[in-house]
Amino acid sequence: GNSVTQMEGPVTLSEEAFLTINCTYTATGYPSLFWYVQYPGEGLQLLLKATKADDKGSNKGFEATYRKETTSFHLEKGSVQVSDSAVYFCALSPNRDDKIIFGKGTRLHILP
Amino acid sequence: ETGVTQSPTHLIKTRGQQVTLRCSSQSGHNTVSWYQQALGQGPQFIFQYYREEENGRGNFPPRFSGLQFPNYSSELNVNALELDDSALYLCASSPDRQETQYFGPGTRLLVL
């Protein structure tokens, strides 16, 4: 079946630290991969996406590379800010035209 | 451009009651998906509507039903509410079943 596994949180970092949130997936076929972010009290916002192997998605200083050989899509940012504090969800779209399957989310706390 | 809107924002019901949640899709989007997000979990796909027809359903019982109207707005109905139905219900829209979905702020349902 299709599933997403991401590292458990919470992750606590100091401002300007390097961030990695690990995500691996299981899927039949060639899914599209996403990172969504959820700020406190809000819905989900698309952060970045990648649709094929070796694609790199990027937005607001965040990056993730679609690695088919390791079935991974790790989220990275070189220098985090307090405003990056949120819950981050790794997700995949197996059929590309209906459901999105989400991981359980990783809560990120950035300390000033 | 107006994004996805949902109503109400919060709702309290008692076990056994019925509830209707509403979603207005983003302008130009004819596809609406509904997700349930339990506390501390990732969103789970309930179903999707495309041009007023159901286009995929997740692992939810038949007491979860939906509707999409000619203006592409949508309703989620839940009958015979159970305590475990307490969650944040998210609506997402996209144009022509495209894989990138845009989420509303959600409706938080509490079942007592």
Side-chain angles (χ1 to χ4, degrees):
Chain A
N2 300 298
S3 66
V4 175
T5 303
Q6 59 183 107
M7 64 189 288
E8 291 194 21
V11 173
T12 302
L13 296 172
S14 297
E15 204 166 23
E16 299 183 3
F18 184 86
L19 168 71
T20 300
I21 300 178
N22 291 335
C23 171
T24 58
Y25 68 90
T26 301
T28 52
Y30 303 94
S32 291
L33 301 175
F34 307 87
W35 278 99
Y36 278 86
V37 59
Q38 188 172 38
Y39 296 101
E42 298 185 14
L44 296 171
Q45 297 179 23
L46 177 65
L47 183 59
L48 52 85
K49 66 182 265 191
T51 59
K52 61 183 187 295
D54 300 325
D55 264 3
K56 177 184 284 188
S58 61
N59 186 27
K60 299 181 181 179
F62 291 90
E63 293 183 341
T65 301
Y66 190 143
R67 300 288 189 199
K68 194 171 188 308
E69 64 276 11
T70 54
T71 62
S72 65
F73 193 55
H74 304 321
L75 182 67
E76 296 181 335
K77 186 175 185 182
S79 176
V80 293
Q81 306 300 312
V82 171
S83 57
D84 294 327
S85 297
V87 181
Y88 291 81
F89 292 92
C90 185
L92 66 84
S93 176
N95 303 319
R96 299 182 179 231
D97 67 352
D98 52 25
K99 62 181 173 287
I100 296 177
I101 295 170
F102 289 86
K104 292 186 175 181
T106 302
R107 184 173 297 278
L108 175 65
H109 293 292
I110 306 300
L111 304 174
Chain B
E1 184 179 272
T2 306
V4 179
T5 60
Q6 295 186 241
S7 63
T9 55
H10 295 83
L11 204 50
I12 300 174
K13 292 286 188 177
T14 55
R15 198 168 42 179
Q17 284 188 311
Q18 178 265 342
V19 69
T20 298
L21 310 182
R22 295 178 174 81
C23 170
S24 291
S25 59
Q26 188 167 318
S27 177
H29 290 187
N30 55 18
T31 306
V32 172
S33 304
W34 286 92
Y35 294 82
Q36 180 195 66
Q37 185 179 13
L39 199 61
Q41 301 295 315
Q44 300 281 319
F45 175 73
I46 303 175
F47 43 57
Q48 182 183 85
Y49 281 84
Y50 169 60
R51 294 188 172 183
E52 303 179 60
E53 298 287 329
E54 189 177 285
N55 179 57
R57 186 180 181 93
N59 189 26
F60 280 81
R63 59 189 185 83
F64 285 78
S65 63
L67 203 56
Q68 188 178 31
F69 299 99
N71 66 355
Y72 303 131
S73 65
S74 177
E75 286 183 354
L76 164 65
N77 298 291
V78 187
N79 293 322
L81 283 167
E82 301 177 359
L83 297 180
D84 285 349
D85 296 333
S86 295
L88 179 67
Y89 288 85
L90 295 165
C91 168
S93 74
S94 60
D96 295 327
R97 297 177 296 174
Q98 288 183 21
E99 59 191 10
T100 301
Q101 299 180 9
Y102 298 87
F103 285 79
T107 294
R108 189 164 296 282
L109 172 66
L110 178 61
V111 182
L112 301 176

